[in-house]
């Protein structure tokens, strides 16, 4: 059995959905298929914008909702001419969405819980259409709402999955079902409150289902030929990696390769299920295989990724040397304020603690830290909490880096030659990742420079 997940571009309109139907349909002739889909391209962004606008009391949402209604009804009409129930099902979901947004605009408050409820409509709509389109082609397909399968905590916007409970429900609900079409991205708490798995979360849905069903393979169908050595939008010479390890895929995606959600690998690793990234528009291309062991890569690095819009926070002061517990207090206070730390780098002199957070939290982090470290700042044991913005993290990743001398030298020499200023560096002890901070304005140049330095000879 195979779980096939299709992303937003793959289901952007009726033509694309028809193409997805033909891929899944052909496959189901030889194997059991469980299909997972994202919302139609751009719909999740539209829903998030609508939620924000409603919170501001905007009246403009009625128009946005009608555009969404038209778009989904049009796709439905083109794919399932004879299905009278489908337009009714779509319209009733859209009416529910409209009511919800209206309610938000009245109270002018959109809690994370309500936002999750609103943003989940995209997947419900796309999957309703896909299941109906498969039935129109003679398949015994069924729409399945993942909120009945995947159980999470109530950390809205990026909930934590309870695997064992979810696996039990998945097995029970999907056993023996022919071609179920499961909504990506959405889940629910044990009490039935809607949650989401974070942006790009449909990939994660697919691997949770794959593990729950003990599938032979998980396939992520998207709009590129596979995982590239660097983001193909920025690096012309980037190439498709035929095979990478789970660990490499996790590192690349954590550091910004959005072709796959970083958590996707977790359930798959657990049950040893291979993941394949495939291009919906070029189904014959082999794509990238993500598995436990890889053999094909002889390069010293595997890929380069980057995270945009981050800020570097530097807590500095001579009086910090030997002062126990400061790092603990810094990280605990940020955790209490729900500020995620992406990367940490501390010089061994203990003179400063330096870490990276999403730029959107920069001001808040400074306030939190200045309050936490008030006494030390007053006593001048800590001189300042410095925040630098408009930066990016670039990460160089690869299992082959382990135990191989000279990689850092080559990396930073190439950046020096290109006159690119490096503001901070971190290397994980697994030795498969070297990350460094650069000015956002120099990040593309940095990525291309490093890509050239390691892969020019491979071209
Ligand atoms: P989907 O809607 O199918 O989930 P996404 O837009 O989430 O697709 O992810 C695919 C995109 O990820 C590609 O179009 C590409 O621009 C981007 N991307 C970033 N880094 C990489 C990489 N290293 N390899 C492949 N694609 C990448
Ligand atoms: N539709 C969601 C998003 O845009 C989930 C996904 O596409 O994977 O983030
Ligand atoms: Mg995606």
């Amino acid at each position: 059995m195979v779980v096939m997940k299709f992303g937003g571009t793959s289901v952007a309109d009726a033509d694309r959905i028809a193409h997805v139907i033909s891929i899944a349909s052909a496959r189901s002739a030889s194997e059991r298929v469980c299909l997972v889909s994202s919302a139609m391209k751009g719909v999740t962004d539209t829903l998030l914008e609508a939620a924000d606008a409603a919170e501001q009391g905007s009246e403009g949402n009625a128009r946005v909702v009608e555009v969404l209604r038209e778009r989904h009804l049009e796709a439905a009409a083109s794919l399932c001419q004879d299905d009278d129930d489908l337009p009714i099902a779509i319209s009733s979901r859209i009416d529910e969405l409209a009511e919800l947004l209206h309610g938000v605009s009245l109270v002018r408050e959109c809690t994370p819980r309500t936002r999750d409820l609103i943003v989940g409509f995209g997947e419900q709509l796309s999957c309703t259409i896909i299941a109906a389109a498969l039935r129109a082609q003679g398949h015994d397909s069924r729409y399945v709402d993942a909120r009945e399968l995947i159980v999470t905590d109530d950390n809205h916007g990026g909930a934590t999955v309870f695997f064992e409970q979810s696996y039990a429900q998945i097995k029970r609900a999907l056993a023996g079902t022919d071609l179920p079409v499961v909504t990506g991205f959405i889940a629910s708490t044990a009490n039935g409150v809607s949650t989401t798995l974070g942006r790009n979360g449909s990939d994660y849905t697919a691997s949770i289902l794959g593990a729950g069903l003990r599938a032979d393979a998980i396939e992520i169908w998207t709009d590129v030929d596979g995982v590239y050595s660097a983001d193909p939008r920025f690096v012309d010479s980037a190439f498709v990696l035929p095979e990478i390890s789970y660990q490499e895929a996790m590192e690349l995606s954590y550091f910004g390769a959005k072709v796959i959600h970083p958590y996707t690998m977790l359930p798959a690793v657990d049950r040893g299920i291979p993941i394949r990234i495939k291009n919906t528009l070029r189904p014959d291309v082999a794509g990238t295989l993500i598995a436990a062991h890889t053999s094909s890569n002889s390069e010293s690095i595997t890929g380069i990724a980057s995270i945009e819009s981050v800020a570097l926070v530097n807590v500095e002061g001579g009086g910090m040397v030997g002062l126990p517990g400061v790092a603990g207090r810094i990280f605990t206070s940020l955790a209490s304020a729900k500020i995620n730390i992406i990367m940490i780098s501390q010089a061994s002199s203990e003179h400063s603690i330096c870490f990276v957070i999403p730029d959107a939290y920069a001001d808040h982090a400074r306030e939190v830290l200045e309050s936490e470290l008030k006494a030390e700042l007053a006593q001048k044991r800590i001189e300042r909490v410095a925040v630098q913005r408009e930066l990016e993290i670039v990460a160089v990743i690869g299992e082959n880096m382990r135990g191989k001398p000279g990689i850092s030298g080559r990396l930073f020499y190439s950046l020096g030659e290109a006159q690119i200023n490096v503001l901070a560096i971190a290397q994980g002890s697994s030795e498969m990742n070297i990350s460094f901070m650069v000015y956002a304005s120099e990040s593309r140049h940095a990525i291309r420079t490093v890509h050239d330095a390691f892969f020019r000879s491979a071209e």
Side-chain angles (χ1 to χ4, degrees), residues 78-226:
S78 145
L79 290 159
C80 316
Q81 288 93 345
D82 302 327
D83 188 336
D84 297 334
D85 296 335
L86 183 58
I88 299 169
I90 290 171
S91 263
S92 88
R93 270 189 220 279
I94 295 273
D95 290 342
E96 209 185 313
L97 170 67
E99 253 175 64
L100 206 54
L101 287 168
H102 181 62
V104 169
S105 73
L106 290 179
V107 295
R108 294 200 174 202
E109 186 190 22
C110 190
T111 60
R113 172 173 168 159
T114 306
R115 190 175 298 268
D116 266 357
L117 189 59
I118 292 171
V119 81
F121 273 82
E123 272 70 10
Q124 296 170 47
L125 289 161
S126 63
C127 290
T128 302
I129 297 173
I130 296 165
L134 279 161
R135 285 195 297 273
Q137 298 285 312
H139 290 280
D140 184 19
S141 184
R142 178 163 73 89
Y143 165 84
V144 181
D145 190 321
R147 291 175 297 181
E148 287 159 23
L149 309 180
I150 300 175
V151 191
T152 67
D153 67 3
D154 62 357
N155 188 14
H156 290 283
T160 300
V161 174
F162 299 134
F163 291 109
E164 292 314 318
Q165 271 167 279
S166 303
Y167 293 162
Q169 300 205 129
I170 289 165
K171 255 195 299 195
R172 210 175 318 123
L174 298 182
T177 314
D178 182 35
L179 248 168
V181 179
V182 185
T183 53
F185 185 47
I186 56 177
S188 78
T189 65
N191 296 328
V193 176
S194 293
T195 56
T196 59
L197 304 179
R199 293 307 304 268
N200 266 319
S202 301
D203 302 331
Y204 190 22
T205 306
S207 74
I208 298 164
L209 293 175
L213 295 167
R214 295 192 181 270
D216 300 302
I218 297 158
E219 295 182 351
I220 306 295
W221 290 77
T222 183
D223 60 356
V224 284
D225 282 349

Side-chain angles (χ1 to χ4, degrees), residues 16 33 58 67 98 111 136 151 192 206 277 307 315 326 344 360 382 387 401 424 433:
R16 294 280 173 97
V33 172
S58 162
V67 171
T111 60
V151 191
I277 312 291
I307 308 183
V315 181
V326 175
I344 303 173
I382 290 177
V387 178
M401 277 161 51
N433 176 340

Side-chain angles (χ1 to χ4, degrees), residues 35 51 55 311 415:
L35 202 150
E55 195 171 25
L415 292 167

Side-chain angles (χ1 to χ4, degrees), residues 15 36 47 56 121 145 154 242 305 331 337 355 398 414 447:
D15 281 353
V36 177
L47 290 168
Q56 302 299 319
F121 273 82
D145 190 321
D154 62 357
F331 296 130
F355 52 88
S414 72
I447 296 169

